[in-house]
Amino acid sequence: MDATSPILLFDSGVGGLTVLDELRKVLPDAPVIYAADVAGLPYGTKSEAEVAARVAGLLGRMAERYQPRLICIACNTASTIALGMVRDVLETPIVGTVPAIKPAAALTKTGVFGLLGTEATMRQRYVDDLEHAFAVGKRLLRHGANGLVPLAEAKLRGERVRIDDVADSAKGLMLQAHGSDIDTIVLACTHFPLLEQELREAFGQGVEFVHGAQGIARRIAHLTEGQPFARSTGDCAITTGALANFERLAPAFAERGIDRLERF
Ligand code: DGL
């Protein structure tokens, strides 16, 4: 194993940074390429066929060009739609990001918990299966909150995000029957933990938020255990979109040890 071989983190935008933050804690020396399919952002409003085609096509080309030791699909929408398909076609080990329904079901005291993700994620069979496996005897309420994705993107570009806008996109969760009993919310889109502070203000005290980033980072560390790591040059972020727009994220990337921004 080449010590400079990167771990490739893939998302439609900045959501995967929530996974990168946890990955840095467990594997500080791991070289990383952060790949954002900004030309395809947002995934949450797209059809299954569109998301699957983009993700499989891009990851195939990225695997060839960068020879990563592992790919993490740091996006719930892409993972719940295309994880199986991508694993079938690539030899590189793939770690997916799936809604943290299991830990949230164990945490809820009222027995009513919520799932906030993109609309595309909410309708996936993958989510139905997790609910049937881990939420038996509990009530899981779902809400597709596509509107939170551009707000998280804006925040990381240094723009001010209004709590009212966050609340407007997310409040449909609580407005359903039994919604007022929710005490735990799964953030099932990697963009959403970037707005955790705003979501806390929007939902008020008494609601716990759960997401999968820590578990994903631990899984990556486990799968690469014993491998040599050398971060000789600075890490790199690549975009399928315009570089000028991506460069507005330079401070957010720099904070996370990524100094080179390039177009894929
Ligand atoms: N970050 C992605 C997720 O985890 C979705 C954002 C988008 O809609 O592109 O689902």
Side-chain angles (χ1 to χ4, degrees):
M1 169 66 64
D2 173 358
T4 63
S5 170
I7 291 170
L8 191 138
L9 293 183
F10 178 89
D11 181 41
S12 54
V14 294
L17 292 178
T18 55
V19 176
L20 178 60
D21 287 340
E22 295 303 325
L23 186 66
R24 291 296 197 209
K25 293 180 195 162
V26 293
L27 290 178
D29 297 327
V32 164
I33 293 180
Y34 187 90
D37 180 17
V38 180
L41 178 79
Y43 281 179
T45 55
K46 292 191 165 49
S47 70
E48 282 71 1
E50 267 180 287
V51 172
R54 286 198 79 85
V55 174
L58 281 170
L59 287 181
R61 286 164 56 211
M62 288 174 181
E64 218 169 276
R65 189 177 304 179
Y66 301 109
Q67 301 288 314
R69 69 181 77 202
L70 180 144
I71 292 172
C72 172
I73 304 180
C75 172
N76 289 262
T77 312
S79 296
T80 54
I81 291 174
L83 186 58
M85 175 203 262
V86 175
R87 281 195 173 130
D88 284 346
V89 295
L90 292 185
E91 278 170 22
T92 316
I94 315 277
V95 173
T97 315
V98 296
I101 290 174
K102 186 179 176 185
L107 260 182
T108 176
K109 293 196 172 62
T110 59
V112 184
F113 65 118
L115 187 66
L116 269 188
T118 65
E119 283 171 21
T121 297
M122 292 303 103
R123 60 174 186 260
Q124 294 315 308
R125 164 93 190 271
Y126 205 117
V127 177
D128 301 341
D129 291 346
L130 288 172
E131 180 176 351
H132 294 142
F134 301 116
V136 178
K138 313 264 158 87
R139 194 184 293 274
L140 179 64
L141 303 180
R142 304 183 191 190
H143 179 63
N146 287 344
L148 294 178
V149 174
L151 294 176
E153 290 283 331
K155 181 176 176 181
L156 282 241
R157 284 170 175 77
E159 290 169 35
R160 204 178 135 251
V161 170
R162 294 175 54 234
I163 305 297
D164 283 357
D165 292 336
V166 171
D168 280 349
S169 294
K171 69 182 179 205
L173 183 63
M174 297 302 206
L175 295 178
Q176 303 174 45
H178 305 284
S180 56
D181 294 331
I182 289 176
D183 63 351
T184 308
I185 296 177
V186 183
L187 300 180
C189 169
T190 51
H191 277 73
F192 296 177
L194 297 168
L195 296 171
E196 191 162 334
Q197 209 183 313
E198 290 81 359
L199 285 164
R200 265 183 210 292
E201 282 191 50
F203 283 107
Q205 300 301 318
V207 175
E208 283 298 323
F209 293 98
V210 179
H211 63 84
Q214 244 181 29
I216 294 150
R218 276 200 305 269
R219 178 82 190 133
I220 295 172
H222 173 71
L223 289 175
T224 56
E225 208 172 337
Q227 295 180 5
F229 286 107
R231 254 173 100 193
S232 48
T233 54
D235 284 333
C236 175
I238 56 175
T239 178
T240 57
L243 200 54
N245 170 306
F246 205 50
E247 278 167 349
R248 291 177 59 208
L249 294 166
F253 280 122
E255 252 175 53
R256 294 164 171 92
I258 295 181
D259 299 315
R260 268 181 309 132
L261 307 186
E262 292 172 8
R263 202 174 135 78
F264 175 67

